[in-house]
Structure formats: C-alpha cells, structure tokens
Amino acid sequence: MKAQDVRERAFAMPLENPSYPPGPYRFVDREYLIITYRTDPAILRAMVPEPLEIIEPVVKYEFIRMPNSTGFGDYTESGQVVPVRFQGVEGGYVHAMYLDVDPPIAGGRELWGFPKKLANPSLRVEHDVLVGTLDFGPVRVATGTMGYKHTRLPDEKIRHALGEPGFLLKIIPHVDGSPRLCQLVRYHLSDIMVKGGWTGPAALELQPHALAPVASLPVLEVLSATHLIADITLDLGEVVHDYLA
C-alpha cells in the first residue's frame, strides 16, 4: 500500500475496517431520563475546566436509550453533564459517560472527545416508573427513578434544551505518553424532532466506585427530572480552546 493510499483511505482505526463509519450520525427515537440535582460547589469547581464557567452547583445525571443510531447501532449510555457558560452562551459540559457498545465508545472518544468508558447502563419502564441504572462490572453505581409521564412538557422547551451546545475535553496522547491533543471541543445537535417530553417525581442514588466515580459529585438535593423522546443528528465538533497552544 502506497503512502497516498493511506492518506486517502485513513478515516479511523483500524485502517481496513474502522470501528464506525463516517457521519452524519442520525439518532431515531432517542430516549432520555435526565435527573437534575444540586451538588457540592467546591467539588464541582475542581472538576470543570477553564475557560468554562459554572452557572450554579448543579449536575444533570442522564440515562439515554439509543435504539436506532446511524453507524453505531442499538445501545445505552449513562453519565453526568454540568450546565456551564462559555463566552456568554449556556451549554453543557459532558463530565462522564458509560456505554455498553464499542463503536460509539471509539467514535465518541476519537471524533469529539466524549469521555466514554465501557459499562452496563439501562433505561426501562417498570409498571408506572421509568428506571435508569448503571452497573460497572457486577457493581451498581447509579439508580434513577421517575414517575412515568406524569406531566407533559412543551415541545419548544425540550427543543431549546437539546439545541444548547455541548462541551468536551478531548485528550489524545502522543506515542511517548505525553498529550498530543488537549482541546476544548464544542458540538451541537441539529434536525431535532421532539416526540414527547414529561416531568414528574424523581429520585437518584449514586454509589462510590474506584473506576466509575459518579458519586464524586454527590447528590445533595434532587431538583427536577425530565423524560423525553426525540430524533436528532449529532453534528461534528469544533475546537474552541487549545490547552497546548
């Protein structure tokens, strides 16, 4: 294989059969359980990188089902997003994500810088309760529950929330182990089609774990919960800050 062939064909690893195809990446019937809670402000400040600004000591814990995802298949993820402000615009900093399938883990980390690790999350309906769980190996580290479809939310409110930018800390090491890329990346969701949104009573429990430390941002008070279903396109990102420059 000639060097020019490598340059023309190289998209992702492995060269001959990448773990995921090129985008765009469309998600159909993407379902969220988002539980918003108040946490310790000092701990939160130590975890959110500058130049992002913390709006208030709040975390959104998410359980997400993705049954129909272009190039990534059928999978579930769970993790934490922190409401932040960047250059006067509000958005969400993705602090941690845990998934059960390889292609979206590889694609999420390599393309955007999503902080994804392999685990076993789930989101399901148990009679009259929406239940989200996260297991890391045999250990349960997160449990979220919400009354099923108690109060309908306006579609426009859901569309506005999904339309806010997301922020990621993308880190790619050099072959000697030093950081080759260390960037703040911004991304958006587009072509948003809201299929329903609800709120209701909710509870969230996080358990300490050495390698899935979601409980490091402790739950002091559950503030609200949202259950929503939408079709969205995950757009590619842009670098908005280079920590190595």
Side-chain angles (χ1 to χ4, degrees), residues 31-226:
E31 183 175 19
Y32 299 74
L33 168 58
I34 304 171
I35 300 176
T36 302
Y37 69 92
R38 184 171 57 85
T39 194
D40 185 304
I43 297 174
L44 192 63
R45 283 194 296 269
M47 290 186 176
V48 175
E50 294 180 338
L52 298 176
E53 303 172 10
I54 296 171
I55 299 171
E56 54 184 328
V58 165
V59 179
K60 295 180 181 292
Y61 197 95
E62 301 184 349
F63 302 90
I64 311 175
R65 275 286 300 127
M66 283 154 284
N68 184 345
S69 307
T70 303
F72 298 140
D74 181 346
Y75 68 100
T76 306
E77 70 181 20
S78 178
Q80 291 159 308
V81 176
V82 180
V84 294
R85 185 181 295 111
F86 177 73
Q87 296 180 345
V89 178
E90 294 186 4
Y93 170 64
V94 183
H95 172 65
M97 280 290 167
Y98 300 88
L99 287 73
D100 55 359
V101 174
D102 174 67
I105 293 177
R109 290 169 67 110
E110 293 174 9
L111 286 170
W112 297 273
F114 280 98
K116 297 187 175 188
K117 296 180 71 173
L118 181 65
N120 186 28
S122 71
L123 179 60
R124 63 193 185 276
V125 179
E126 295 283 357
H127 302 295
D128 58 345
V129 181
L130 187 62
V131 179
T133 60
L134 173 62
D135 295 342
F136 198 92
V139 179
R140 176 66 47 86
V141 295
T143 303
T145 56
M146 175 182 167
Y148 189 68
K149 294 186 178 182
H150 278 216
T151 304
R152 182 69 187 253
L153 293 172
D155 287 357
E156 187 53 40
K157 181 177 181 179
I158 300 298
R159 189 176 296 106
H160 175 77
L162 291 174
E164 290 185 344
F167 297 94
L168 304 158
L169 184 57
K170 182 175 182 176
I171 303 169
I172 301 292
H174 204 353
V175 292
D176 63 2
S178 63
R180 182 63 180 266
L181 294 178
C182 190
Q183 303 166 331
L184 184 66
V185 173
R186 178 172 56 201
Y187 72 94
H188 291 85
L189 306 180
S190 63
D191 300 326
I192 299 169
M193 180 183 298
V194 177
K195 296 183 174 180
W198 302 266
T199 188
L204 178 65
E205 182 180 19
L206 305 179
Q207 296 293 335
H209 191 287
L211 299 183
V214 292
S216 295
L217 289 171
V219 180
L220 302 184
E221 179 187 8
V222 171
L223 302 175
S224 63
T226 302

